[in-house]
Amino acid sequence: MARPVPVPVTVRRVEPDPSITSAIGRHHSLPTAIADLVDNSVDAGARHVLIRIVQRDERAHGLMVIDDGEGMDGDRIDAAMAYARRREYGASDLGHFGIGLKAASLSQADVLLVWSRRWGSPPVGRGLERSSLDSGPMVQSFSSDDASTRLEDVDPGFPIDTGTVVEWRNVRTFLQSPDPDEQRHWLERTVEDLRTHLGLVLHRILAGARVQVRIDVVEETCPEFGASAARTVKTLDPFGYDRSGHPEYPQELRVPLADGSARATMHIWPAHGRDDIGFTLGGRSPLESQGLYVYRRDRLLQAGGWNDLVSPSRDLSFARIAVELDPVLEPHITINPEKTGVIFDAELSDGWHTTRSASGGKFAGYLDAARAGARQARRRNPRPVHVVEPGRGMTAKVAEAFEDHATYVPGEDPVDMRWRGLAADEVFRIDRDSRTIWLNSRYRTALGGSVGLANDDAQVVKTLLHLLLGGHLRGSYAGHRERRLETAWQAILLAAVQEQQRAVDRRRGSATGQGDE
């Protein structure tokens, strides 16, 4: 039997160490950090938002988020820059914790600058440097003249008689490589990742025409050329199928709670819609994109995942449930600071398995229907290929092709395909402990790969190597026959790669006038 807790002799307040502020926001990615700033713009009533990546000599180093919202006066901007103050949010506001501006910005950049103008108030400007966080945030104030000048210098392509400019300088999470080709590849991928993330998490808001969000890239010395080439963020609806994959769905679900019931809508994607962008969601795998889509005030907080209600499964690939976070549900959910996931309390988790839908079905019945649909879709296609399931390194499209035309070895975890530096006589290396086939990055171009940090390149080579080598990761060690085959394949591939590199070198020599006479 546990002893009772003693009565305390004294109680005193222990102030947090100022350095705790530097830990806030560490789990932000670039897309989630920018989404947090766009949330603030939407809350400010903006009709237009421009995300601007600023380059210097073709290398990205800064970023701006510009809006035409209601703007801030001195009191409001001071509240926005404070870590220890949480403002009151309206019933439709997307803000939640009161730290998004600072945490999101300084998770990515060394310097945060905010410039704003509100009707009837002089322009204001504030600054915050990441280096000041460990000793306690030190907020800088700028003159109204400097704030006015900065606001006038910005040309987003729409009027900003009122509005706010959030500026990041020395962005640490931007690619640091001086190679122009790597910079261009990274920049294109980054812009598309931003469009995908924002199009997904804001899809209801964008579809309602409440705000237009665009992205441009400008050279620091000539920013006037940016707005004309801006790319619009388009809606990416995870429930945007043309017709349901099951005649009884979508179907409303009420999850019983002590103080009411949570609202959800169960959907089953059609098998014929697996190629739609609303299903692939920018390259997510079916295991990542199935499950719960949690909305708060039309802003998507969680895109997929089952929150331990069931285990992800390829048999649930078409199952998606929209959950509305309303006042009844809010006490039972914890939102992570990056707004990329939620945690259910025990009462809410238990309620899912006892709930009934409006038409009399159960959550378990919905899962059965989704599983049956996925199995039927697979039965329509003969699958003569028997392989280990592919993991990271394949795009969603390729992974879907494996799903459609191959059966997976039961009991085997997926095999990743990734790049790393290997010895000159290795094209690949099989790592059974980490379930990874490593490809030699020194031969990346010859293997059809691209420069940069992305791992979704060289899909033809990766697919062929997975079909060739994937079965060799079954079990914890390689037998004599497997080792002989790997040695032979290594030698053959190395000869092909070296021949390909020589051809590339000859073409480069011809282009520069240094080839054979």
Side-chain angles (χ1 to χ4, degrees):
M1 180 177 178
R3 292 177 178 271
V5 177
V7 177
V9 177
T10 62
V11 177
R12 63 187 178 91
R13 181 185 297 276
V14 178
E15 296 296 335
D17 189 291
S19 65
I20 195 173
T21 55
S22 65
I24 299 173
R26 284 183 178 173
H27 297 292
H28 266 301
S29 64
L30 182 64
T32 65
I34 292 175
D36 221 328
L37 303 190
V38 176
D39 287 348
N40 292 340
S41 298
V42 174
D43 285 348
R47 298 289 297 171
H48 302 88
V49 179
L50 177 68
I51 300 157
R52 170 164 287 174
I53 297 174
V54 182
Q55 292 182 305
R56 181 185 299 148
D57 298 326
E58 296 189 70
R59 180 172 170 178
H61 73 93
L63 183 137
M64 303 167 72
V65 176
I66 309 163
D67 71 53
D68 61 355
E70 63 185 7
M72 294 180 282
D73 56 21
D75 290 340
R76 286 175 179 247
I77 198 170
D78 285 337
M81 298 297 285
Y83 271 89
R85 191 185 311 173
R86 180 175 176 180
R87 72 174 176 86
E88 292 297 321
Y89 289 100
S92 62
D93 285 350
L94 305 182
H96 185 67
F97 295 101
I99 58 172
L101 171 64
K102 292 81 63 179
S105 299
L106 296 181
S107 72
Q108 308 295 308
D110 289 335
V111 178
L112 164 66
L113 298 172
V114 183
W115 315 97
S116 194
R117 179 163 45 205
R118 185 177 177 86
W119 283 119
S121 300
V124 291
R126 299 291 187 270
L128 187 59
E129 296 184 6
R130 181 176 172 80
S131 60
S132 75
L133 296 185
D134 285 342
S135 58
M138 303 293 289
V139 178
Q140 306 161 340
S141 295
F142 303 101
S143 70
S144 293
D145 288 342
D146 286 339
S148 179
T149 298
R150 187 63 184 130
L151 289 165
E152 293 300 327
D153 284 345
V154 175
D155 180 15
F158 52 83
I160 49 172
D161 298 325
T162 64
T164 299
V165 175
V166 176
E167 190 173 354
W168 295 352
R169 296 195 175 182
N170 301 329
V171 183
R172 301 184 309 281
T173 53
F174 281 177
L175 181 66
Q176 301 302 309
S177 170
D179 186 296
D181 288 335
E182 289 190 10
Q183 282 287 337
R184 283 190 288 271
H185 179 84
W186 172 86
L187 187 62
E188 182 65 26
R189 177 61 181 267
T190 296
V191 170
E192 288 308 307
D193 284 349
L194 286 173
R195 294 180 73 199
T196 297
H197 182 75
L198 294 171
L200 177 60
V201 301
L202 299 174
H203 76 89
R204 287 184 176 180
I205 295 169
L206 294 171
R210 289 164 54 183
V211 64
Q212 181 189 66
V213 181
R214 295 182 302 154
I215 304 170
D216 73 5
V217 180
V218 302
E219 182 66 29
E220 191 172 49
T221 55
C222 47
E224 65 273 9
F225 296 115
S228 62
R231 284 183 258 186
T232 301
V233 174
K234 298 181 179 180
T235 60
L236 188 57
D237 187 353
F239 300 96
Y241 49 79
D242 56 354
R243 68 178 186 273
S244 176
H246 192 288
E248 296 180 14
Y249 297 92
Q251 191 177 116
E252 188 179 70
L253 191 72
R254 292 281 182 173
V255 182
L257 301 167
D259 46 356
S261 61
R263 296 181 299 120
T265 305
M266 303 178 293
H267 296 257
I268 297 179
W269 261 85
H272 68 265
R274 284 172 295 187
D275 294 334
D276 294 352
I277 59 172
F279 185 76
T280 59
L281 298 178
R284 297 189 183 201
S285 73
L287 290 180
E288 293 173 313
S289 57
Q290 63 184 254
L292 309 180
Y293 287 71
V294 182
Y295 294 86
R296 177 177 177 267
R297 299 166 187 171
D298 285 340
R299 204 278 198 187
L300 185 61
L301 298 178
Q302 176 173 307
W306 289 105
N307 295 62
D308 296 324
L309 299 179
V310 295
S311 297
S313 163
R314 63 193 182 110
D315 286 342
L316 294 175
S317 294
F318 303 135
R320 293 182 181 180
I321 302 178
V323 181
E324 309 298 332
L325 207 173
D326 57 18
V328 173
L329 188 55
E330 280 201 6
H332 302 277
I333 280 185
T334 301
I335 305 171
N336 71 21
E338 296 77 31
K339 299 180 186 174
T340 56
V342 301
I343 299 173
F344 292 174
D345 68 6
E347 181 182 349
L348 177 58
S349 295
D350 291 343
W352 281 87
H353 294 288
T354 59
T355 186
R356 289 186 176 274
S357 70
S359 59
K362 293 183 178 180
F363 176 53
Y366 163 72
L367 297 177
D368 289 342
R371 291 183 181 113
R375 290 167 184 158
Q376 184 178 14
R378 287 199 299 273
R379 281 197 297 270
R380 293 193 187 107
N381 293 323
R383 291 176 293 151
V385 181
H386 194 59
V387 295
V388 175
E389 182 178 357
R392 290 177 296 180
M394 302 295 187
T395 64
K397 184 78 172 178
V398 175
E400 191 68 34
F402 271 99
E403 287 274 348
D404 289 344
H405 301 285
T407 56
Y408 296 145
V409 178
E412 293 285 347
D413 291 332
V415 173
D416 295 337
M417 192 83 67
R418 302 172 65 184
W419 298 99
R420 68 181 292 185
L422 302 175
D425 61 348
E426 291 181 288
V427 177
F428 65 86
R429 181 183 298 173
I430 295 177
D431 186 343
R432 289 173 174 79
D433 292 336
S434 67
R435 305 286 296 170
T436 302
I437 298 173
W438 294 103
L439 303 182
N440 197 340
S441 57
R442 71 172 68 201
Y443 302 134
R444 191 164 185 168
T445 303
L447 290 170
S450 58
V451 294
L453 303 177
N455 192 38
D456 61 352
D457 56 353
Q459 290 297 291
V460 172
V461 170
K462 286 180 178 178
T463 299
L464 291 172
L465 285 176
H466 184 86
L467 294 171
L468 187 69
L469 301 171
H472 285 220
L473 278 88
R474 299 174 63 178
S476 58
Y477 65 93
H480 180 65
R481 179 178 180 276
E482 284 80 6
R483 289 196 298 271
R484 289 181 58 195
L485 283 173
E486 290 166 19
T487 299
W489 289 335
Q490 190 82 261
I492 295 169
L493 287 170
L494 182 62
V497 166
Q498 290 173 340
E499 186 63 24
Q500 180 67 21
Q501 282 204 314
R502 281 192 287 271
V504 171
D505 291 341
R506 285 195 297 270
R507 286 197 297 270
R508 287 176 177 171
S510 298
T512 59
Q514 298 176 356
D516 296 336
E517 293 284 327

